[in-house]
Amino acid sequence: MSNNIKELHLSPSQIAWKRFKRHRLAKISMWIIIVLAILSILIPIISGHNVDQPNIMKIFTASSSEHLFGTDENGYDVFTRLFYGGRISLSVGLISALSAAIIGTLIGSMAAYFGGWIDSILMRITDTMLALPVLPLLIILSAIDYKKLIHIFFNFIQKISPSIIHSSVLFVDQKFQSFVDAELFGIIRIIFIISVFSWMSVARLVRGEVLSLKNREFIDASRSMGAGHTRIIFKHLIPNALTPVIISTTLSLGAVIQYEAVLSFFGLGIPSSTPSWGNMLSNSLEYFVKSPSFIFYPGLLISITVICINFIGDGLRDALDPRQILK
Amino acid sequence: MRKYILKRLSLMIITLFGITILSFIVIRLAPGNPADLLEQQGGEIVQKTGQASNESMDEFRRRYNLDKPLHIQYLTWIKKTILFDFGNSLIYKTKTVNELILERLPVTVWISFMTIFITYIIAVPIGVLTAVKENSLTDKTITVILFMLYSLPSFFVAIWCINLFANIEMLNWFPAQELEWNYPIGKLLYHSILPIFCSTLASYAYLSRQMRGSMLDVLRQDYIRTARAKGLSEKIVIFKHAIRNSLIPIITIASAILPELIGGSVIIESIFNIQGLGLLSFEAILARDYNVIMAIFYLSSLLTLVGILISDILYVLTNPRITFDERSE
């Protein structure tokens, strides 16, 4: 209890940081993730090999000083590709988890704040999506031929629009078609699919928090001073309901990175021209007997990242839970 | 209580309708309907089932209402679905969806139940151990190991297992394939060791952490202090007083885990080539077998909703401090 007094002169974020540091595994994990991220960002400078230029003379070489982790079936340097893959996998994970958190927070807070039929509709949608089996759904959504879908959409627009703008509709259609062909689209598609199907738990969490907050005195005070709905939701309710969101988003980051790998395993992930941990792992499955070390690296990196993220989430839970007393 | 259950049931029906509409739209979004796919395959399947020419494709569309507008397709589908009649499979034409599902169900149920059973048998003692020895080296080591198991992608583990333990060149200990539920029990167990091992790995962490948390809650209760104060041995306190009470919330979780397993069976079943529901849904998605996909989505969502309802009811029934009126707020 005496230590409790020591916390009094610290700000909430300082207390949280102090508690987070006490979770030794979380601290180590955070450093590992930071190192992985820095390596992924700096890989073009660190590595002497070009990620797009395979050396056909050297396929399946063992690790050496030139190729730290050896080369793969096409003669690409595995080390270089791994950290280029890290760029993709980490950013796909981060962006999907963040957008899921944003969608979930918005829906959850609106449902709880407005209540009534808005709440009923939003929560029915949430329950609906929560009850659907995620993996088959992800497989279906990844199998969708977006090129055709866009084409159907623009054909429809062309049909209902006046003939003067037909050529411009056609132009936009072609622009979209070439965008779908671009490598970037493969990544955006995965981010979209994953985030559309992982916001539900956050929405429920936020709804629960906001329900308990919205009748508190400080909200009444804010309303009596003339604050509108938007101000109350964004300035008062969401910041106070954010703690469980931060924790669950951190934990879901690990799951998202695994989803990317699973989708790649079914051949529906990021196209293999762009390296990601998921598609490197599933590509290497074919060469398991020939070169087992080769499946090991992407699998290891995925596992390390997910473990570290889970420990960080655990540490955050300890750090941000206000009911805990620093012992 | 009756009011609460009635309210939940009516909400469930609305949700179920939402599910049918959403999954109907999502599935139709995937371009290439079954008739197109059949045509693309050069009538390969058409020949197999004895159907002859291109005219039959039109008939095929007509028979399965694929030529009608979407909302009419949906209405005809939902009318039958309410009575659990999902029609025929579009690919295996001679079989109804119900036959197909009943054929594939037992092996998935077997694996799911064994997975839950083994997870409980291993995770509950681990949870108790880590709670009793809270913050000790044992607790920390076990936690780290469980987190590691949880973090391994299951298909990654499954492929390592097949290549290590079911490989003539490596260790040929287990068969990797050919698992059918009507094997004699010994053979069935032997064949399911690897798939069950792989599908349990990820769930130990969750369940044992839950058990640990619930056990810690119980250990902080006054009646545990009383039990210790009146001189009962630590063994009796733990085994007779603490474990029993901390098991209650853990058991209610089981009904929520089950549906998740059926969704997750896609990965394990397609790697181990087990002819179960997971593999069926994967095949059906690839072949755009609408009737089968919709049936699987419908049934597994229904199972999920019922599972959540049961675990909520059990939670209230086993926890005298919460009433149904409070829950329905």
Side-chain angles (χ1 to χ4, degrees), chain A residues 25 124 128 131-133 135-137 140 145 149 258 261 265-266 281 285 288-289 295 299 303 306-307 310-311 314, chain B residues 15 18-19 22 31 144 147-148 150-153 155-156 159 163 169 209 267 270-271 282 285 297 300-301 304:
Chain A
L25 278 169
R124 270 336 96 212
T128 302
L132 282 167
L135 201 56
L137 211 61
I140 292 185
D145 183 357
L149 205 65
Q258 282 190 336
F265 170 72
F266 284 115
L281 184 57
L285 296 179
F288 191 94
V289 183
I295 176 179
S303 308
V306 178
I307 294 170
N310 284 331
F311 280 135
D314 213 38
Chain B
T15 311
I19 286 166
L22 191 74
V144 172
F147 264 103
M148 283 179 176
Y150 171 72
S151 310
L152 293 168
F155 73 95
F156 180 63
I159 288 191
N163 281 289
E169 289 164 28
R209 289 296 279 186
I267 302 172
S270 44
I271 291 177
F282 186 57
I285 287 170
F297 270 35
S300 65
S301 324
T304 312

Side-chain angles (χ1 to χ4, degrees), chain A residues 105-106 109-115 118 210 214 219-220 222-239:
Chain A
T105 308
L106 285 179
S109 55
M110 281 198 318
Y113 180 76
F114 292 111
I118 296 182
V210 171
K214 76 170 186 180
I219 300 295
D220 286 339
S222 167
R223 192 176 293 123
S224 64
M225 288 196 297
H229 295 319
T230 334
R231 190 181 165 83
I232 292 178
I233 290 179
F234 285 97
K235 191 95 192 184
H236 298 292
L237 288 175
I238 290 182

Side-chain angles (χ1 to χ4, degrees), chain A residues 2 21 73 88 106 138 193 276 280:
Chain A
S2 63
K21 279 196 297 189
E73 80 273 19
I88 303 293
L106 285 179
L138 288 182
I193 293 171
S276 78
M280 285 181 77

Side-chain angles (χ1 to χ4, degrees), chain B residues 41-54:
Chain B
Q41 288 159 1
E44 187 189 321
I45 297 175
V46 177
Q47 277 170 7
K48 223 189 279 174
T49 50
Q51 287 199 353
S53 62
N54 264 344

Side-chain angles (χ1 to χ4, degrees), chain A residues 53-224:
Chain A
Q53 272 173 3
N55 188 348
I56 317 162
M57 305 302 286
K58 282 184 181 170
I59 57 170
F60 289 123
T61 52
S63 60
S64 60
S65 57
E66 197 194 345
H67 298 285
L68 202 55
F69 289 165
T71 53
D72 67 3
E73 80 273 19
N74 295 319
Y76 287 117
D77 180 52
V78 172
F79 182 79
T80 313
R81 258 177 101 75
L82 268 181
F83 285 99
Y84 267 98
R87 291 178 151 196
I88 303 293
S89 292
L90 289 176
S91 50
V92 164
L94 201 64
I95 298 173
S96 320
L98 278 182
S99 23
I102 292 171
I103 301 173
T105 308
L106 285 179
I107 291 188
S109 55
M110 281 198 318
Y113 180 76
F114 292 111
W117 60 271
I118 296 182
D119 184 27
S120 308
I121 291 179
L122 289 178
M123 280 302 110
R124 270 336 96 212
I125 295 175
T126 312
D127 284 355
T128 302
M129 295 183 69
L130 213 55
L132 282 167
V134 180
L135 201 56
L137 211 61
L138 288 182
I139 294 173
I140 292 185
L141 285 175
S142 337
I144 291 178
D145 183 357
Y146 287 89
K147 222 169 164 176
K148 215 168 164 184
L149 205 65
I150 289 168
H151 196 64
I152 292 169
F153 174 71
F154 280 108
N155 265 352
F156 177 70
I157 296 227
Q158 215 168 11
K159 251 182 223 165
I160 58 166
S161 61
S163 56
I164 315 159
I165 61 164
H166 270 191
S167 58
S168 56
V169 170
L170 212 63
F171 177 72
V172 179
D173 185 11
Q174 275 163 0
K175 273 273 174 265
F176 268 102
Q177 298 289 350
S178 53
F179 172 64
V180 171
D181 281 333
E183 266 176 42
L184 187 64
F185 181 76
I187 300 164
I188 293 178
R189 192 193 60 172
I190 291 289
I191 293 176
F192 174 76
I193 293 171
I194 294 178
S195 44
V196 162
F197 283 94
S198 32
W199 55 266
M200 291 82 74
S201 54
V202 174
R204 292 187 73 116
L205 274 177
V206 173
R207 179 175 174 268
E209 286 288 309
V210 171
L211 272 183
S212 71
L213 284 170
K214 76 170 186 180
N215 293 325
R216 295 265 290 276
E217 291 83 357
F218 71 99
I219 300 295
D220 286 339
S222 167
R223 192 176 293 123
S224 64

Side-chain angles (χ1 to χ4, degrees), chain B residues 4 14 21 30 45 77 82 136 146 160 186 224 245 281 293 306:
Chain B
Y4 171 77
I14 301 173
I21 294 174
I45 297 175
W77 179 79
I82 293 170
S136 68
L146 288 179
W160 272 97
I224 295 292
N245 286 304
S281 62
I293 308 174
V306 173

Side-chain angles (χ1 to χ4, degrees), chain B residues 236-275:
Chain B
I236 293 181
V237 172
I238 301 289
F239 284 95
K240 198 154 181 215
H241 294 262
I243 289 185
R244 280 196 191 176
N245 286 304
S246 52
L247 266 179
I248 296 169
I250 302 302
I251 288 168
T252 61
I253 294 177
S255 47
I257 294 181
L258 181 68
E260 224 166 87
L261 275 176
I262 290 183
S265 63
V266 180
I267 302 172
I268 295 294
E269 283 178 10
S270 44
I271 291 177
F272 287 96
N273 199 15
I274 299 167
Q275 298 290 322

